[in-house]
């Protein structure tokens, strides 16, 4: 075999190896659950998660990603994130969890003096194509997390995604903002065509605010924002900043993400 042909064969198989080794797109279903605890019951709810619920979730095939409480917890909430292979697996896991004798006993004992949860919100989410790998993680130093929810202006979710994909993520990194995950609501939910939900990590709330202050003054961001809004004919979020919701959170002591 001559040298040129040999090199061509080697190149072909090397390329094929790269294709085979490429990481598949994250197709998992994520569920964000927000528990509104009964007055005075948030600590009891956390104790139940710490002592029983998280272990039983894992037993029934649920992946615990993270558990947080808002720093300014005026609504007495616990926010957590689970991952599943798909919706069918999720429903099967919750059905078997609900029927588990250990869970029934733990729930009954914990509610001997009254129910722990007044209301539960649940959101099914799919990773955005530009999201980094989503997984439970522990930082080298204590972190706070920021849950951000964007409501895109009518018809502009794709344009908002393009701005994040092409500009925002890189500029976040430039200003010391750590990515955790980016998601869209799964189809069939209210405003699924308009929501972008993501979680960031910071050293502290003050560090996060300082990073965003620098980010918003960055000439590259100002240009990207102006260009995207000119193309769309206006703000990419509903009512400008009114379409952006931010919640700073601390991980619970039983969270796999710290």
């Amino acid at each position: 075999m001559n040298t040129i042909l040999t090199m061509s064969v080697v190149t072909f198989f090397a390329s094929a190896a790269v294709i085979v080794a490429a990481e598949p797109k994250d197709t998992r279903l994520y569920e964000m659950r927000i528990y509104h605890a009964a007055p005075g019951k948030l600590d009891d709810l956390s104790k139940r998660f710490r002592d029983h619920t998280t272990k039983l979730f894992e037993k029934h095939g649920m992946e615990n990603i993270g558990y947080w409480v808002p720093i300014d917890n005026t609504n007495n909430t616990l926010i957590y994130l689970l991952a599943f292979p798909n919706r069918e697996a999720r429903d099967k896991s919750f059905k078997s969890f609900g029927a588990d004798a250990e869970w029934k006993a733990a729930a009954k004992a914990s509610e001997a003096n009254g129910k722990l949860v007044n209301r539960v919100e649940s959101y099914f989410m799919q990773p955005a194509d530009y999201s980094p790998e989503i997984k439970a993680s522990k930082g080298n130093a204590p972190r706070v997390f920021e849950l951000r929810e964007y409501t895109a202006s009518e018809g502009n979710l794709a344009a908002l995604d393009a701005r994040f994909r092409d500009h925002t993520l890189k500029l976040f990194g430039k200003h010391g903002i750590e990515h955790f995950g980016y998601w869209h609501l799964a189809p069939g939910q209210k405003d699924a065509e308009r929501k972008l939900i993501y979680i960031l990590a910071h050293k502290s709330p003050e560090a996060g605010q300082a990073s965003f202050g620098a980010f918003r003054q960055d000439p590259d961001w100002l240009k990207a924002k102006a260009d995207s809004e000119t193309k769309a004919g206006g703000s990419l979020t509903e009512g400008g900043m009114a379409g952006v919701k931010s919640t700073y959170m601390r991980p619970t002591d039983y969270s796999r993400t710290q």
Side-chain angles (χ1 to χ4, degrees), residues 15-196:
S15 300
V18 170
I19 294 171
V20 171
E23 287 293 325
K25 183 175 181 284
D26 188 351
T27 59
R28 290 178 294 174
L29 176 77
Y30 291 81
E31 184 176 5
M32 179 174 291
R33 294 172 68 84
I34 303 174
Y35 282 21
H36 295 259
K41 296 292 186 179
L42 184 59
D43 287 345
D44 292 334
L45 178 61
S46 279
K47 184 177 188 304
R48 189 169 73 187
F49 270 91
R50 181 186 303 111
D51 296 345
H52 304 285
T53 311
T54 57
K55 299 169 193 172
L56 289 169
F57 277 176
E58 293 283 354
K59 174 183 174 182
H60 292 283
M62 308 182 200
E63 183 180 355
N64 293 300
I65 301 294
Y67 290 78
W68 300 272
V69 290
I71 292 175
D72 183 15
N73 202 0
T74 55
N75 293 320
N76 211 30
T77 56
L78 170 69
I79 301 167
Y80 66 97
L81 185 66
L82 302 173
F84 307 89
N86 50 51
R87 180 60 187 270
E88 182 181 8
R90 180 266 178 201
D91 292 347
K92 182 178 179 181
S93 289
F94 263 103
K95 184 177 180 179
S96 60
F97 164 77
D100 191 301
E102 185 180 346
W103 162 245
K104 289 181 178 180
K108 183 177 180 180
S110 67
E111 295 182 346
N113 296 316
K115 65 180 182 178
L116 304 188
V117 180
N118 282 340
R119 181 164 62 93
V120 176
E121 299 175 56
S122 174
Y123 302 94
F124 297 109
M125 308 187 302
Q126 298 169 328
D129 63 76
Y130 48 83
S131 178
E133 181 184 4
I134 300 165
K135 60 181 180 180
S137 64
K138 294 188 177 182
N140 295 323
R143 299 183 290 179
V144 299
F145 294 80
E146 185 181 5
L147 171 63
R148 294 177 68 85
E149 176 185 324
Y150 283 22
T151 302
S153 50
E154 193 66 36
N156 280 327
L157 181 58
L160 183 62
D161 282 332
R163 191 169 72 190
F164 268 83
R165 185 184 300 110
D166 298 338
H167 304 285
T168 310
L169 265 70
K170 288 178 280 190
L171 290 169
F172 277 178
K174 174 182 176 181
H175 293 285
I177 299 171
E178 183 182 347
H179 310 291
F180 184 77
Y182 294 77
W183 299 267
H184 296 129
L185 291 180
Q189 298 172 94
K190 184 177 183 293
D191 291 333
E193 297 80 17
R194 302 179 67 187
K195 293 289 187 182
L196 171 64

